[in-house]
């Protein structure tokens, strides 16, 4: 048992990566390239939206939150993971692990709320196009973005603050990355309280997002079916398709592993497949984040096309200026 006063100097041991020596360098290079690609894809979207005033619209402002969130999440997870691969040192201080877990959950919750807000935006744009300008005003957009981040921050702060009063009985963690459930299992007592409150938050996030997405997409589907213009149908489906893919990826990546990790009724082999001391946590980090970035790379095709047009127009104006100067 470790007293609460000593947690600041407490060193935890994460689960071993179990990499053979011959795989250390390939794994490190693969992880580094993956991290850089995630940053490149997300920063490209961020910079393009910020620089192009034609993209300063509610849909793209909401979209802007997602690459910012993804870049933050990757920067929280990958540096320590890459260090662990390179040095094979799985130790981490308790404060660093606590902060990593806090921001991982903060980014995860933000992903749900951002996608929920985007679903609402698409619902208004497709089902109530004449009222879109009156509803999605700048003030309302600021309220939506501020509200979702503030609500997310308060909930995650409360979830992690419940860990603080309880004493720690062990320092070996069963996960590859710091998560709330892994930190919870280090406690001597209070596990049931933390588990109940954690499940309540899972129900809130998933219930809110699933209800909102189901409601909006059912109405969007009805609108597309009843719309006689084929071009409008195709455009609406293309606009919402990638959003739905990203949402389903997020659901599969978080809902089932979170429930399985907390429930004793789930068979042991299924928990090991979904989220245990094996490779599932690393798959969550290495596979899902770049997959989401790739999906938004398709979703941002309009962003990229506008960026290319801007570059071409800038180059054309430069050529024209030079020609006039020569004349």
């Amino acid at each position: 048992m470790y007293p609460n006063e000593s947690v600041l100097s407490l060193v935890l041991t994460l689960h071993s990566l179990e990499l053979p020596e011959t795989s250390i360098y390939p794994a490190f290079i693969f992880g580094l390239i993956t991290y850089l690609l995630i940053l490149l894809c997300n920063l490209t979207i961020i910079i393009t939206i910020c620089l192009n005033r034609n993209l300063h619209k509610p849909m793209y402002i909401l979209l802007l939150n997602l690459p910012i969130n993804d870049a933050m999440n990757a920067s929280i997870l990958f540096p320590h993971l890459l260090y662990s691969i390179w040095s094979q040192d799985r130790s981490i201080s308790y404060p660093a692990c606590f902060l990593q877990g806090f921001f991982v959950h903060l980014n995860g919750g933000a992903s749900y709320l951002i996608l929920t807000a985007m679903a609402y935006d698409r619902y208004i744009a497709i089902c109530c196009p004449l009222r879109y300008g009156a509803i999605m005003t700048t003030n309302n957009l600021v309220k939506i973005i501020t509200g979702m981040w503030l609500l997310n921050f308060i909930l995650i702060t409360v979830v992690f603050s419940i860990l603080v009063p309880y004493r720690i009985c062990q320092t070996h963690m069963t996960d590859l990355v710091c998560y709330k459930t892994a930190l919870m299992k280090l406690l001597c007592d209070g596990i049931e309280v933390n588990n109940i409150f954690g499940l309540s938050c899972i129900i809130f996030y998933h219930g809110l997002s699933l209800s909102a997405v189901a409601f909006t997409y059912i109405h969007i589907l009805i609108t597309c079916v009843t719309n006689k213009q084929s071009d409008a149908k195709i455009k609406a489906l293309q606009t919402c398709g990638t959003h739905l893919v990203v949402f389903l990826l997020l659901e599969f990546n978080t809902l089932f592993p979170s429930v399985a990790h907390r429930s004793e009724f789930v068979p042991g082999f299924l928990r090991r497949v979904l989220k245990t001391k094996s490779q599932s946590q690393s798959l969550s980090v290495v596979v899902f984040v770049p997959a989401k970035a790739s999906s938004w790379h398709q979703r941002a095709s309009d962003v990229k096309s506008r960026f290319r047009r801007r570059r071409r127009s800038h180059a054309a104006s430069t050529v024209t200026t030079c020609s006039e100067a020569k004349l």
Side-chain angles (χ1 to χ4, degrees), residues 140-159:
N140 288 339
L141 185 63
V142 171
K143 290 178 183 178
I144 291 172
I145 295 174
T146 305
M148 69 183 183
W149 279 105
L150 185 60
L151 174 63
N152 185 45
F153 180 80
I154 292 172
L155 285 176
I156 301 302
T157 300
V158 173
V159 167

Side-chain angles (χ1 to χ4, degrees), residues 14-34:
L14 294 168
H15 189 266
S16 174
L17 295 173
E18 299 177 355
L19 287 174
E21 291 188 7
T22 55
S23 301
I24 292 176
Y25 294 116
F28 178 82
I29 294 172
F30 173 75
L32 181 61
I33 293 174
T34 302

Side-chain angles (χ1 to χ4, degrees), residues 205-251:
Y205 277 107
H206 290 273
L208 175 66
S209 57
L210 281 172
S211 300
V213 170
F215 174 83
T216 55
Y217 272 86
I218 288 173
H219 282 77
I220 288 172
L221 184 61
I222 294 172
T223 303
C224 291
V225 170
T226 55
N227 196 327
K228 297 180 180 180
Q229 297 180 357
S230 58
D231 292 341
K233 292 181 183 180
I234 295 172
K235 186 175 181 180
L237 294 175
Q238 286 178 344
T239 302
C240 301
T242 307
H243 175 274
L244 187 60
V245 169
V246 173
F247 180 78
L248 293 176
L249 278 173
L250 182 63
E251 279 291 328

Side-chain angles (χ1 to χ4, degrees), residues 138-326:
T138 302
N139 289 335
N140 288 339
L141 185 63
V142 171
K143 290 178 183 178
I144 291 172
I145 295 174
T146 305
M148 69 183 183
W149 279 105
L150 185 60
L151 174 63
N152 185 45
F153 180 80
I154 292 172
L155 285 176
I156 301 302
T157 300
V158 173
V159 167
F160 274 79
S161 64
I162 298 176
L163 290 168
V164 176
Y166 300 100
R167 296 180 182 273
I168 298 172
C169 280
Q170 56 178 321
T171 59
H172 182 77
M173 301 184 69
T174 58
D175 290 289
L176 299 177
V177 180
C178 294
Y179 288 90
K180 165 69 188 297
T181 48
L183 289 167
M184 181 181 67
K185 292 181 179 180
L186 302 178
L187 302 178
C188 303
D189 52 6
I191 294 178
E192 186 175 352
V193 174
N194 279 274
N195 202 22
I196 291 173
F197 198 86
L199 283 173
S200 300
C201 285
I202 290 174
I203 292 171
F204 170 77
Y205 277 107
H206 290 273
L208 175 66
S209 57
L210 281 172
S211 300
V213 170
F215 174 83
T216 55
Y217 272 86
I218 288 173
H219 282 77
I220 288 172
L221 184 61
I222 294 172
T223 303
C224 291
V225 170
T226 55
N227 196 327
K228 297 180 180 180
Q229 297 180 357
S230 58
D231 292 341
K233 292 181 183 180
I234 295 172
K235 186 175 181 180
L237 294 175
Q238 286 178 344
T239 302
C240 301
T242 307
H243 175 274
L244 187 60
V245 169
V246 173
F247 180 78
L248 293 176
L249 278 173
L250 182 63
E251 279 291 328
F252 180 79
N253 185 71
T254 56
L255 177 59
F256 299 111
S258 296
V259 173
H261 204 49
R262 296 172 181 272
S263 177
E264 297 297 330
F265 299 101
V266 178
F269 78 93
L270 190 56
R271 284 204 302 271
R272 285 193 293 273
V273 170
L274 291 175
K275 187 178 180 184
T276 58
K277 55 178 80 172
S278 65
Q279 299 290 328
S280 60
Q281 292 287 12
S282 61
L283 287 176
S284 297
V285 175
V286 176
V287 175
F288 173 66
V289 179
K292 192 162 68 166
S294 175
S295 295
W296 281 114
H297 182 71
Q298 296 178 0
R299 174 68 182 84
S301 59
D302 188 27
V303 174
K304 293 187 296 180
S305 63
R306 288 173 182 265
F307 181 66
R308 292 194 191 100
R309 287 199 298 268
R310 185 184 179 192
R311 286 173 54 188
R312 285 197 295 266
S313 63
H314 177 71
S317 62
T318 303
V319 171
T320 303
T321 304
C322 293
S323 300
E324 291 175 351
K326 288 179 180 179

Side-chain angles (χ1 to χ4, degrees), residues 5-167:
E5 294 79 9
S6 66
V7 295
L8 294 178
S9 58
L10 189 64
V11 177
L12 305 177
T13 303
L14 294 168
H15 189 266
S16 174
L17 295 173
E18 299 177 355
L19 287 174
E21 291 188 7
T22 55
S23 301
I24 292 176
Y25 294 116
F28 178 82
I29 294 172
F30 173 75
L32 181 61
I33 293 174
T34 302
Y35 177 47
L36 293 176
L37 284 175
I38 292 170
L39 291 181
L40 178 63
C41 291
N42 287 304
L43 288 176
T44 299
I45 297 175
I46 293 170
I47 293 172
T48 303
I49 293 176
C50 290
L51 294 181
N52 195 332
R53 291 193 176 186
N54 293 327
L55 299 178
H56 294 178
K57 300 175 182 178
M59 180 178 68
Y60 296 107
I61 298 301
L62 289 172
L63 171 63
L64 182 64
N65 286 266
L66 203 63
I68 291 174
N69 188 57
D70 287 346
M72 289 171 54
N73 192 33
S75 298
I76 290 164
L77 292 172
F78 271 90
H80 184 264
L81 183 62
L82 290 172
Y83 169 77
S84 297
I85 294 173
W86 181 266
S87 64
Q88 291 295 292
D89 180 11
R90 299 297 291 149
S91 61
I92 184 173
S93 67
Y94 182 82
C97 188
F98 189 91
L99 284 175
Q100 186 187 69
F102 175 83
F103 283 107
V104 166
H105 285 266
L106 187 71
N107 294 134
S111 296
Y112 277 103
L113 296 180
I114 292 168
L115 291 173
T116 302
M118 294 186 70
Y120 173 74
D121 173 77
R122 291 299 83 205
Y123 164 72
I124 299 297
I126 295 173
C127 299
C128 309
L130 298 179
R131 298 177 57 197
Y132 183 79
I135 295 174
M136 297 301 292
T137 61
T138 302
N139 289 335
N140 288 339
L141 185 63
V142 171
K143 290 178 183 178
I144 291 172
I145 295 174
T146 305
M148 69 183 183
W149 279 105
L150 185 60
L151 174 63
N152 185 45
F153 180 80
I154 292 172
L155 285 176
I156 301 302
T157 300
V158 173
V159 167
F160 274 79
S161 64
I162 298 176
L163 290 168
V164 176
Y166 300 100
R167 296 180 182 273

